[in-house]
Amino acid sequence: MNRTYIKDLVSAIGKEVSISGWVDVRRDHGKLIFVDIRDMSGKVQAVALPSNKAAHEVASKIRPEWVIQATGVVNKRPEKMISKNKETGEIEPNGDIELELKSIEVLNEAETSPIDLHTDGREINEEVRLKYRYLDLRRPRMQKNIRLRSEFVERARQFLFTKGFTEIETPYFTSTTPEGSRDFIVPSRMYPGKFFALPQSPQQYKQLLMTAGFEKYFQIARCFRDEDLRADRGFEHTQIDMEMSFVTRDEVMQLDENMITTVAEAMGYTIKQKPFPRIPYADAMKKYGADKFDMRTEEDKKRGVLAFAWVIDFPFFEKDADGAWTFTHNPFSMPAPEHLEWHLAGTHTREIVTQQYDLVCNGFETGGGSIRAHRPDILKATFRTMGYSNEQIEKDFGHMLKAFASGTPPHGGLAHGIERLMMILTGENELREVQAFPQTSSGRTAVMDAPSEISDKQLRELGIELRKKK
Ligand code: ASP
């Protein structure tokens, strides 16, 4: 018999069906044994009657989280037995039907779960939760979060395809670049003593795709940053990363706003203000004391409203801890047209405004980007301001300068942090609640034991000798 998904049982009343899934809960009343069975589509109550010996016998020994295939007849349940969801009081999906079991086949047994799967999981020690993440993900909240994330990405992808974008992958093994964070480094076996860096973002490659003539690029891109971990920061995060040619700042913001609005509204969310307000950085600092802020009222918060705003007109440079100029957002950005002369001359550094835009939502920065410096002299000026020598610029960015001297169109783009957006959409407070296999807050991989030591043979192959620990 073909498998029926549990959500489709409502339209199979009176029919014999076969379902597959996990035992969620079992209630043994001696004569009647109730088994709640769960699959990716929902949950249903099944009942084994003593009159059916075979099914009753298996039902008496199965345990929560065993994997089973069950056949039975779908019955409408008497009104008074309709099950209510304990938390919400709502009728559960399929609450008005029941499966009268004919047979049960055990596909795999399960040890007793080391973590409780019937709570929301937040009370469980994080290391333990992530060690058993494959079980933790079975809880409805996690299933919902991860599926919602997939829906979000699918809708964004569809939107971008309808606008003529091409999805292109860029390398994970690349070279170290300045993007404000520490790189993750990968040793090279073929070139002992040399190292790859994992990309902090596809920034340079996506710009090179503009040189290559693709004009509209996007990627669901993994980014790697060796940062101190926080609730809203991990070593790895995913971006919806875009870049476009022959565009103005307003056109990029417009397209992005259109995407975010289309996707969020299709998913049933309400947006507080459209078009998104645009707030100059200086005004945001004056009004909110920060460049990310929450414009929601208490009522908006209760209703799950999304309050988006653009922040624009950021200063290009600021002084770092050593008193040297560094970029505030992105070294590849273009200064405001009225400040280009200063930029090229290396004067008025503090006053130069960059064509950077950040998208803020409900107190978080959820995205950002800029119109880029697409001429070699402009990019060179940026690094000169930051104190790079000509040799250093050539060594680190010679490839970009060469590309920019090879017919690179004006271009710009932006990226959205998917986890930040999903935290907002799901109302979660932690990045980890919207990633399938996140790192622990102490920087260890979920489920697997990483980072871990490697063998002497591997070290030798890589030409690496470890220093003795002090
Ligand atoms: N590369 C930037 C980032 O990762 C985004 C952009 O400017 O497109 O934040």
Side-chain angles (χ1 to χ4, degrees):
M1 211 184 305
N2 282 341
R3 175 185 180 191
T4 303
Y5 284 97
I6 289 174
K7 73 169 168 37
D8 297 328
L9 292 179
V10 268
S11 47
I13 292 171
K15 295 203 183 106
E16 185 165 327
V17 296
S18 166
I19 65 171
S20 300
W22 288 259
V23 174
D24 198 60
V25 184
R26 199 184 63 108
R27 293 174 298 277
D28 194 338
H29 295 298
K31 279 203 182 114
L32 297 182
I33 303 173
F34 294 98
V35 188
D36 291 349
I37 303 171
R38 160 186 107 227
D39 70 9
M40 63 176 239
S41 73
K43 216 181 337 181
V44 68
Q45 172 169 292
V47 59
L49 306 174
S51 52
N52 184 324
K53 273 226 169 63
H56 197 265
E57 203 183 303
V58 183
S60 71
K61 63 168 217 233
I62 56 179
R63 292 285 175 272
E65 303 310 317
W66 285 27
V67 186
I68 60 172
Q69 186 182 337
T71 63
V73 175
V74 183
N75 291 332
K76 210 169 162 57
R77 295 173 70 184
E79 208 66 48
K80 62 178 181 347
M81 287 189 32
I82 284 177
S83 66
K84 295 261 170 82
N85 182 314
K86 269 186 237 102
E87 279 125 15
T88 62
E90 275 170 56
I91 294 175
E92 292 204 337
N94 294 323
D96 46 0
I97 54 158
E98 180 176 77
L99 189 71
E100 187 188 319
L101 290 164
K102 286 263 148 63
S103 70
I104 306 172
E105 189 189 338
V106 174
L107 301 178
N108 209 348
E109 299 185 5
E111 294 168 359
T112 304
S113 172
I115 56 174
D116 190 346
L117 304 182
H118 288 98
T119 63
D120 77 1
R122 291 192 179 88
E123 77 291 354
I124 302 167
N125 169 285
E126 186 202 56
E127 299 272 335
V128 178
R129 235 187 112 191
L130 292 183
K131 178 168 180 196
Y132 299 107
R133 186 60 153 184
Y134 47 89
L135 296 176
D136 186 59
L137 288 170
R138 289 183 186 170
R139 67 183 83 251
R141 179 170 65 89
M142 296 310 294
Q143 291 271 321
K144 192 173 132 245
N145 288 356
I146 301 295
R147 289 179 200 281
L148 203 76
R149 176 178 173 148
S150 166
E151 183 187 341
F152 181 87
V153 171
E154 194 213 331
R155 286 183 188 276
R157 241 196 193 107
Q158 269 171 12
F159 176 92
L160 292 167
F161 282 138
T162 63
K163 298 290 177 196
F165 280 72
T166 304
E167 185 171 11
I168 308 175
E169 290 180 66
T170 54
Y172 280 169
F173 289 86
T174 168
S175 98
T176 161
T177 68
E179 280 191 60
S181 287
R182 206 176 285 117
D183 291 318
F184 273 103
I185 299 295
V186 181
S188 159
R189 177 183 60 82
M190 292 171 76
Y191 301 96
K194 300 208 169 176
F195 299 85
F196 296 100
L198 301 180
Q200 293 183 31
S201 89
Q203 183 67 39
Q204 294 188 46
Y205 284 108
K206 70 172 172 177
Q207 291 191 244
L208 296 173
L209 288 170
M210 298 302 104
T211 308
F214 284 98
E215 294 199 31
K216 290 179 176 186
Y217 141 97
F218 87 96
Q219 178 177 197
I220 309 300
R222 196 74 67 84
C223 303
F224 305 89
R225 299 179 186 184
D226 188 358
E227 301 189 294
D228 293 334
L229 300 173
R230 295 206 302 248
D232 64 342
R233 281 216 174 141
F235 289 154
E236 299 177 38
H237 72 275
T238 308
Q239 291 185 342
I240 302 184
D241 190 47
M242 307 179 230
E243 199 74 11
M244 284 162 267
S245 294
F246 306 107
V247 283
T248 61
R249 180 188 77 167
D250 285 357
E251 284 164 343
V252 180
M253 288 161 72
Q254 190 58 56
L255 176 116
D256 185 64
E257 187 166 328
N258 193 352
M259 176 184 83
I260 291 287
T261 306
T262 306
V263 172
E265 290 184 342
M267 291 173 77
Y269 292 92
T270 305
I271 293 172
K272 186 177 170 80
Q273 198 180 330
K274 291 189 295 186
F276 302 167
R278 294 181 180 192
I279 304 173
Y281 169 78
D283 294 357
M285 293 307 282
K286 237 179 266 157
K287 190 159 174 201
Y288 302 103
D291 58 2
K292 31 184 173 289
F293 41 81
D294 197 343
M295 300 178 307
R296 292 171 304 166
T297 60
E298 285 308 313
E299 182 58 29
D300 291 336
K301 285 185 189 167
K302 265 187 236 137
R303 288 174 48 231
V305 166
L306 305 174
F308 287 103
W310 290 105
V311 183
I312 52 174
D313 299 342
F314 289 92
F316 201 148
F317 300 100
E318 64 188 1
K319 287 270 169 109
D320 68 13
D322 305 325
W325 288 114
T326 184
F327 58 92
T328 62
H329 282 76
N330 192 330
F332 297 101
S333 297
M334 180 76 114
E338 63 274 25
H339 297 157
L340 186 55
E341 297 226 341
W342 288 348
H343 184 76
L344 291 171
T347 61
H348 301 79
T349 302
R350 191 180 298 283
E351 288 144 76
I352 296 173
V353 164
T354 167
Q355 293 194 50
Q356 166 86 23
Y357 27 84
D358 275 4
L359 189 65
V360 172
C361 182
N362 296 4
F364 290 95
E365 183 204 315
T366 61
S370 60
I371 296 299
R372 322 298 183 187
H374 68 285
R375 268 173 27 202
D377 56 331
I378 306 175
L379 186 63
K380 257 193 215 159
T382 305
F383 288 105
R384 257 200 326 265
T385 296
M386 297 196 297
Y388 282 60
S389 66
N390 281 336
E391 295 76 62
Q392 195 66 33
I393 296 175
E394 199 47 49
K395 180 172 171 286
D396 292 353
F397 303 104
H399 56 282
M400 295 299 280
L401 298 171
K402 185 94 183 128
F404 289 176
S406 312
T408 296
H411 61 281
L414 86 173
H416 287 286
I418 293 184
E419 287 83 2
R420 293 257 180 94
L421 274 168
M422 292 317 300
M423 276 172 67
I424 294 166
L425 297 188
T426 55
E428 296 285 0
N429 294 318
E430 300 263 338
L431 212 79
R432 289 185 275 282
E433 307 293 341
V434 296
Q435 277 175 322
F437 295 103
Q439 271 90 32
T440 65
S441 45
S442 54
R444 301 192 55 82
T445 300
V447 186
M448 315 239 178
D449 185 24
S452 57
E453 277 149 14
I454 58 172
S455 67
D456 284 343
K457 179 168 175 276
Q458 283 171 306
L459 284 174
R460 258 198 314 277
E461 269 177 358
L462 294 169
I464 291 180
E465 203 171 322
L466 296 180
R467 280 202 198 154
K468 289 255 163 20
K469 280 199 204 101
K470 294 246 168 71

